[in-house]
């Protein structure tokens, strides 16, 4: 393999681009993955159905998965997402043939390691590819502000949310087939190719705000096009099983002037409309007037969505907030919180809740017998009875009789591994020592790592890009052609049911109606913060409603409350 040395190390202070070049009037960017557990086949279908995609972004790194990856590294495993092999084997042949650049944060804590793996896969497929990296690095200073050491894997598992600049530089210098990053803000993964292709500069904040809007809408994949949306019995969200099976991942068309349209593949299932866009807009957003990204702080309060066709929606109204750009970036630092242990067992039939209560009592007592005081580190709830409530149900046995099929779940967070292991042993002992009729026991334990958040000055955070290429010497190496890698996507679909084609009319004035019939809700979380969003079915009926934290609802907009 030919190797090109890494490029210059940069800090994250924003610097204007020198004579940026506009390469296109419009750029087409698709989302191929919205989280680490997403479906590679859906990404392949998007590539096949939307031939003009310039970029495909695989967003596969959350704070939870980053913490999990750090634990794998501590055990001697890979610092990058091990599923990158599965994704690249499926997508690389068609992406290379179509000229679609793949951008992914599957590099996690070791982008160069992921880069090497992708080159290996490409060689096995008989493909000549160039693979770039854009990632955070650790540096030490040695007098006179000179850098003397760098590490590809961040020391101690530390990661910082980078912006779009490293990816833009990698595109400008190398034009690779694939770019692998470390922890980059989700929206920035999509914003970077916009900046590169459309010639935007870092002080053109109106365009950056609209571009970040597009990235934020796309980042969760099929959640924009009907995934996690279908709800039987709700006439506004009723989607047939066949339509749910054939969801299209979304893509966006972004113009030089900041015009944004999000879309799904023509003829696909699912739904793309005001409601799906609105709920994704507010997902994981605290203050909609100041959504912070490394590149621009965005005000979403005047965003509107206007359907252009059954598969395309115009998105407008994102603008920079008065704060403009953050002067510090968010850093994630792993923290050891002890050991988790958990167990589950099912009970069904007559007095199943009482049997579950007896099982809980026994496990707690056995653990206390072995390690006095540890019992207080265990939480219990019964799935099917009180698992969805903020407080447990009352102890009246009459309220238990409606439950005929339940599952006891017990979770412990312990200071020592021995406590977690002993807890799982005691739980398994229910098979011969517990109440009758229990089954389906599952247990486990693992180290509990959380990511503490810190704000760090931009000039204290560094990044670097680089490129490596392979050369396939054997012309008879394995080749996967477009025809061989094709899927049957001509599924016969019934007409999609969406609010745009339903005869909708608000309830008569003064008539009491269930809230469920006029809106639906969506919940998102970031760490310990939870946001709850309300999306009206009739946005034109809302003008300005005062909500928590002085959030307002305007025509075509949505309501969010953060707690």
């Amino acid at each position: 393999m030919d190797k090109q040395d890494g490029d210059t190390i940069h800090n994250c202070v924003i610097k204007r681009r020198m004579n940026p070049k506009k390469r296109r009037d419009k750029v087409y960017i698709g989302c191929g993955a919205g989280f680490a557990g997403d479906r590679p086949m859906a990404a392949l279908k998007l590539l096949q159905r939307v031939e003009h995609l310039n970029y495909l972004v695989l967003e596969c790194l959350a704070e939870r998965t980053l913490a999990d990856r750090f634990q794998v590294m501590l055990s001697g495993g890979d610092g990058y997402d091990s599923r990158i092999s599965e994704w690249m084997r499926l997508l690389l042949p068609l992406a290379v043939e179509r000229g679609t650049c793949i951008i992914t944060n599957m590099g996690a804590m070791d982008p160069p390691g992921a880069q090497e793996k992708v080159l290996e896969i490409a060689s096995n497929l008989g493909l000549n590819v160039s693979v770039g990296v854009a990632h955070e690095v650790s540096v030490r200073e040695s007098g006179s502000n000179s850098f003397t050491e760098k590490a590809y894997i961040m020391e101690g598992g530390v990661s910082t949310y980078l912006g779009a600049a490293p990816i833009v530089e990698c595109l400008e210098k190398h034009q690779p087939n694939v770019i692998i990053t470390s922890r980059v803000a989700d929206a920035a993964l999509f914003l970077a190719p916009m900046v590169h292709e459309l010639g935007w500069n870092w002080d053109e904040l109106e365009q950056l705000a609209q571009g970040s809007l597009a990235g934020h809408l796309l980042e969760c994949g099929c959640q924009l096009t009907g995934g996690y949306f279908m709800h039987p019995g709700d006439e506004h969200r009723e989607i047939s099983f066949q339509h749910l099976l054939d969801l299209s991942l979304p893509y966006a068309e972004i113009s030089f002037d900041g015009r944004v349209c999000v879309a799904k593949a023509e003829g696909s299932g699912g739904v793309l409309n005001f409601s799906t866009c609105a709920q994704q807009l507010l997902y994981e957003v605290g203050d909609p007037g100041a959504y912070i990204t490394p590149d621009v702080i965005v005000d979403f309060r005047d965003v509107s969505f206007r359907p252009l066709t059954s598969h395309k929606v115009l998105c407008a109204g994102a603008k920079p907030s008065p704060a403009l750009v953050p002067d510090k970036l968010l850093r994630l630092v792993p923290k050891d919180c002890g050991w988790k242990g958990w167990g589950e067992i099912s009970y069904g039939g007559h007095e199943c809740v009482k049997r579950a209560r007896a099982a809980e009592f026994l496990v707690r007592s056995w653990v206390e017998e072995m390690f006095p005081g540890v019992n207080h580190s265990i939480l219990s709830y019964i799935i099917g009875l009180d698992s969805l409530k903020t407080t447990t149900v009352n102890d009246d046995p009459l309220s238990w009789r409606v439950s005929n099929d339940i599952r006891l779940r017990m979770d412990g967070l312990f200071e020592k591994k021995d406590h977690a292991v002993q807890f799982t042993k005691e739980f398994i002992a229910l098979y011969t020592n517990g109440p009758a009729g229990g089954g389906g026991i599952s247990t486990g334990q693992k180290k509990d790592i959380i990511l503490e958040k810190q704000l760090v000055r931009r000039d204290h955070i560094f990044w670097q890009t680089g490129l490596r290429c392979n050369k396939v010497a054997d012309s008879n190496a394995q080749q996967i052609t477009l025809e061989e890698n094709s899927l049957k996507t001509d599924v016969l679909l019934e007409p999609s049911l969406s609010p745009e084609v339903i005869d909708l009319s608000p309830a008569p004035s003064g008539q009491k109606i269930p809230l469920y019939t006029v809106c639906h809700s969506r919940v998102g979380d970031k760490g310990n913060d939870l946001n709850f969003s309300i999306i009206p079915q009739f946005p034109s009926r809302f003008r300005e409603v005062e909500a928590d934290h002085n959030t307002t609802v305007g025509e075509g907009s949505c309501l969010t409350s953060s707690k």
Side-chain angles (χ1 to χ4, degrees), residues 90-104:
L90 189 65
L91 299 180
L92 266 182
L94 183 54
V96 170
E97 182 167 337
R98 290 270 172 83
T100 303
C101 175
I102 297 175
I103 300 175
T104 181

Side-chain angles (χ1 to χ4, degrees), residues 28-29 194 210-211 213-219 221 224-225 249-254 259-265 271-274 276-278 280 304-316:
Y28 294 86
I29 304 171
M194 302 177 209
Q210 277 288 109
L213 167 65
H216 177 63
L217 291 173
L218 293 176
E219 68 184 56
L224 185 66
T225 52
L249 281 158
Y251 67 97
E253 170 193 296
I254 307 98
R259 186 178 188 269
V260 170
C261 288
V262 293
K264 67 183 185 76
V271 60
L272 177 65
N273 59 20
F274 168 84
T276 62
C277 291
Q280 181 56 36
S304 62
F305 302 109
R306 182 164 64 89
L308 301 178
T309 68
S310 62
H311 64 275
K312 182 180 290 188
V313 174
L314 176 66
C315 312

Side-chain angles (χ1 to χ4, degrees), residues 25-75:
D25 292 321
K26 293 181 180 179
V27 61
Y28 294 86
I29 304 171
C31 178
F35 78 118
D38 225 329
R39 302 182 61 249
M41 292 296 285
L44 180 59
K45 284 185 178 182
L46 182 68
L47 272 176
Q48 291 174 330
R49 287 172 156 177
V50 186
E51 297 184 11
H52 52 279
L53 281 185
N54 306 120
Y55 294 87
L56 183 68
V57 177
L58 309 179
E59 198 289 285
C60 298
L61 190 62
E63 292 180 12
R64 173 185 55 81
T65 48
L66 193 62
D68 290 344
R69 185 51 48 190
F70 178 64
Q71 292 191 62
V72 171
M73 285 179 59
L74 292 178
S75 302

Side-chain angles (χ1 to χ4, degrees), residues 132-195:
V133 289
H135 58 97
E136 185 176 6
V137 293
S138 299
V139 301
R140 294 192 180 100
E141 294 188 12
S142 175
S144 303
N145 297 321
S146 60
F147 302 127
T148 60
E149 186 175 338
K150 60 188 177 187
Y152 288 123
I153 302 176
M154 291 295 292
E155 296 175 330
V158 173
S159 286
T160 310
Y161 279 92
L162 301 179
I167 303 173
V168 173
E169 178 175 281
C170 191
L171 286 168
E172 289 181 341
K173 286 191 172 183
H174 307 304
Q175 296 86 48
N177 300 106
V178 179
I179 296 180
I180 301 170
T181 77
S182 57
R183 174 73 273 182
V184 171
D186 296 350
L189 293 168
F190 299 86
L191 179 64
M194 302 177 209
V195 172

Side-chain angles (χ1 to χ4, degrees), residues 276-292:
T276 62
C277 291
Q279 70 172 23
Q280 181 56 36
L281 173 72
L282 298 176
Y283 183 58
E284 295 182 337
V285 170
D287 181 358
Y291 179 66
I292 301 174

Side-chain angles (χ1 to χ4, degrees), residues 232-249:
D234 182 342
E235 64 175 328
H236 309 296
R237 293 191 287 161
E238 187 77 68
I239 303 175
S240 71
F241 291 179
Q242 194 64 45
H243 268 87
L244 200 58
L245 174 65
D246 193 47
L247 292 181
S248 164
L249 281 158

